[in-house]
Amino acid sequence: MIKYIFMLTLFTFIALVSPCNCNANGVIYSLNDIWTIRVNNDIFDLNHPLPSYIDSSAFDFNSGLGSLFMTLQTPGSYTVGMFVDHDLGASSGDEYGGFSDPLPNGVSWEINEPMSLGIYYRFLNSQLTNTFPPNTPLLDLSMAILRDFSIAPGQQGIVGFEFSITQPTNAPFYLAQYDTAVPPATPYGVYFTSTLDIVSIGQPVPEPSTFLLFGAGLGGLALIRRKVCKQ
C-alpha cells in the first residue's frame, strides 16, 4: 500500500512538471514519464530501467507513441502488461475512452482515472476489470493491458505493445483514449494495441499479427465495434 501511495504521488508530480510534445496539427501527446511495464512480479518504470530483453528503440518516451517488444525464453507462466497515462489535447479537459471487440484469450484491460480509482493498483495485482467508466467523462484517463500465457521448453514468447494516433484497421482488439478538446472519431486519439507470438527458439519471428497495417482513414469505424464513453 505504501508503494501504491508513493506511485500515485509521483504520477501527480510528474504530470505537473513534464514537457509536452505536439504533432503537426498542434495536438499535444505527452506520456509525462508515467508508464509501467510488468513481467510477472518484476516492475520497470522511470526509476527501474528496462532489461535487455525489452526493445524500446521504436518507442518515444516523451510522447508515449511507438512500439516496444520483449522476448521471453524461460519456460513457465507469465503475466505481462503495460500501464500508461497519456495527456492529449491542446489543454486539460474531460477525457473518455473506448475499446474494440473481440477480447483475445488471456488478455485483461482497463481504462480509468489513474489516481483515485485504483487502476494502477489493480494492474499490479492482476485485477483489471475489462471496463471503463460509462457515461462519465473524467479529467484524466489511463490505460492498462495484461496478458497471461505460458512458454514451453524450446519456445520463446514475443510480446508487443504499440501506441498510435491512427486507428488500427487490422487489430482485432485495441483500447482508445480521447480528450474532449479533440473530436472523437478522428486520428487524434491514442490507440493502444498488444500482440503475442509464441514460436520455437530459432524459428523466424512472424510479423506481429495486430501491427501489420494502420489505416489513415476512418472507414474502419463502421467495421469494428467500439464502445465509447462520452460526455
Side-chain angles (χ1 to χ4, degrees):
M1 180 60 70
I2 294 176
K3 179 179 179 180
Y4 174 55
I5 295 173
F6 170 78
M7 290 302 300
L8 295 185
T9 304
L10 178 64
F11 288 174
T12 303
F13 173 78
I14 293 175
L16 291 174
V17 302
S18 298
C20 294
N21 300 275
C22 297
N23 73 348
N25 297 299
V27 178
I28 297 171
Y29 298 94
S30 178
L31 192 56
N32 289 328
D33 292 328
I34 302 176
W35 58 272
T36 298
I37 294 175
R38 176 185 164 192
V39 181
N40 290 338
N41 293 322
D42 294 329
I43 302 300
F44 308 102
D45 53 27
L46 182 65
N47 298 310
H48 301 86
L50 295 178
S52 59
Y53 62 81
I54 299 180
D55 180 3
S56 62
S57 59
F59 186 74
D60 184 342
F61 284 94
N62 292 316
S63 67
L65 300 176
S67 58
L68 303 95
F69 295 92
M70 65 179 72
T71 302
L72 305 167
Q73 296 184 334
T74 302
S77 298
Y78 286 88
T79 297
V80 173
M82 189 166 183
F83 166 90
V84 290
D85 181 11
H86 289 85
D87 283 339
L88 56 148
S91 62
S92 298
D94 290 339
E95 296 183 355
Y96 57 97
F99 69 97
S100 70
D101 285 329
L103 181 65
N105 291 333
V107 172
S108 60
W109 63 276
E110 187 172 344
I111 303 173
N112 218 323
E113 203 278 333
M115 305 303 176
S116 62
L117 296 183
I119 180 177
Y120 185 75
Y121 176 83
R122 290 189 290 276
F123 169 76
L124 295 181
N125 290 275
S126 299
Q127 297 174 347
L128 296 179
T129 62
N130 296 347
T131 62
F132 63 94
N135 304 316
T136 307
L138 298 171
L139 291 177
D140 188 21
L141 283 180
S142 57
M143 300 184 287
I145 289 178
L146 285 171
R147 281 186 171 274
D148 294 314
F149 60 95
S150 296
I151 297 175
Q155 292 183 329
Q156 60 182 350
I158 296 89
V159 182
F161 299 107
E162 172 126 350
F163 302 86
S164 174
I165 63 173
T166 304
Q167 180 189 0
T169 58
N170 285 351
F173 175 78
Y174 62 81
L175 303 183
Q177 177 184 348
Y178 304 98
D179 190 290
T180 53
V182 182
T186 76
Y188 304 132
V190 173
Y191 299 92
F192 181 10
T193 57
S194 174
T195 57
L196 169 64
D197 289 295
I198 298 178
V199 299
S200 298
I201 293 178
Q203 176 182 340
V205 178
E207 286 291 328
S209 56
T210 62
F211 295 165
L212 294 179
L213 294 173
F214 289 90
L218 302 176
L221 289 173
L223 302 178
I224 300 177
R225 177 180 168 219
R226 298 191 302 130
K227 300 175 177 66
V228 177
C229 174
K230 299 182 179 179
Q231 183 175 13

